[in-house]
Amino acid sequence: MDEHMITSEEAMRVMAEADLLHSAEDVAAMLDRMAVEITATLGDKTPLVLCVMTGGVIVTGHLLTRLNFPLEQDYLHATRYRGATSGSKTITWLHKPEAALVGRHVLLVDDILDEGYTLREVARWCREQGAASVHIAVLADKQHDRRVEGIWCDFPAIELVDRYVFGFGMDYKEYWRNANGIYAVKGL
Ligand SMILES: O=P(O)(O)OC[C@H]1O[C@H](OP(=O)(O)OP(=O)(O)O)[C@H](O)[C@@H]1O
Ligand SMILES: Nc1nc2[nH]cnc2c(=O)[nH]1
């Protein structure tokens, strides 16, 4: 068994003990606001929206249904936590987008900006590929002083306390990405 895996019984206990930080209704309202801001900035730019898998999948889906203008969609898969609750400083690329980025206005969509290693590297790569601009949208913008230099977030839906969170795409040891809300793990 993978060292980070837990049983489904443990996953049930984690959920039972977790604190609900933001309900599904809160998240929906904040995504509505984020969509308005993205539309104002990128609505006339036919952006290429890149979902950062795996965590970005749910927020990207919900966000896309709120963007009522022409855009293209693709995905990439970069990971640094790999099922653990702390990450290495280098990211592992599992998939790069098929779409050419040259001259495109790219919108990266991910679940969470924490220390920033993941999105800093992904944004750097997009610029290296020739993107005309790179904007970043995240569901959760975690507040602490461990952020790496050179990363920013243009469209944060929610500012989060410095706890380990799961739900709406974010995992606890690969479980509960499907939780419909944002929860904090007891004691973390
Ligand atoms: O700002 P950082 O400290 O770099 O952390 C944020 C990243 O961590 C998570 O990815 P993870 O590596 O867990 O992969 P996953 O999306 O497959 O869960 C999350 O989806 C972000 O991409
Ligand atoms: N699930 C989850 N993934 C993260 N990646 C970086 N920070 C977090 C977090 O708090 N929760």
Side-chain angles (χ1 to χ4, degrees):
M1 184 156 126
D2 185 290
E3 60 174 314
H4 304 307
M5 278 186 75
I6 57 172
T7 61
S8 55
E9 288 76 16
E10 283 174 78
M12 291 292 285
R13 183 182 52 75
V14 167
M15 176 56 104
E17 295 177 351
D19 298 314
L20 175 64
L21 300 183
H22 294 282
S23 66
E25 291 72 27
D26 284 354
V27 171
M30 293 178 198
L31 289 179
D32 285 345
R33 204 174 54 208
M34 181 201 247
V36 170
E37 289 169 8
I38 291 172
T39 301
T41 305
L42 294 172
D44 61 353
K45 301 225 163 27
T46 321
L48 175 63
V49 179
L50 294 180
C51 172
V52 182
M53 295 291 277
T54 304
V57 67
I58 295 181
V59 61
T60 304
H62 282 254
L63 177 65
L64 282 173
T65 62
R66 290 165 162 84
L67 299 181
N68 189 21
F69 56 82
L71 56 80
E72 284 180 65
Q73 179 193 349
D74 200 344
Y75 73 98
L76 59 91
H77 196 175
T79 180
R80 83 177 186 99
Y81 286 77
R82 313 203 89 176
T85 54
S86 63
S88 93
K89 291 192 173 167
T90 52
I91 68 168
T92 303
W93 281 92
L94 300 176
H95 177 85
K96 289 184 173 167
E98 297 290 324
L101 270 60
V102 180
R104 300 302 306 269
H105 294 280
V106 171
L107 175 65
L108 296 171
V109 184
D110 205 354
D111 52 356
I112 187 162
L113 177 59
D114 192 336
E115 293 177 301
Y117 289 98
T118 308
L119 283 167
R120 182 174 68 171
E121 172 56 21
V122 171
R124 189 200 62 73
W125 180 83
C126 291
R127 278 188 235 102
E128 191 180 275
Q129 297 305 300
S133 69
V134 180
H135 288 83
I136 294 177
V138 295
L139 174 66
D141 182 10
K142 210 189 260 192
Q143 305 295 300
H144 54 60
D145 60 9
R146 300 186 304 282
R147 191 68 50 86
V148 291
E149 277 181 24
I151 184 67
W152 74 101
C153 178
D154 303 282
F155 309 109
I158 301 173
E159 291 191 346
L160 269 195
V161 292
D162 189 13
R163 293 186 62 185
Y164 198 82
V165 292
F166 65 88
F168 226 83
M170 298 177 281
D171 69 306
Y172 180 71
K173 301 194 175 177
E174 296 301 341
Y175 284 94
W176 293 126
R177 292 186 195 273
N178 52 313
N180 197 11
I182 300 179
Y183 294 80
V185 179
K186 182 184 176 189
L188 289 184

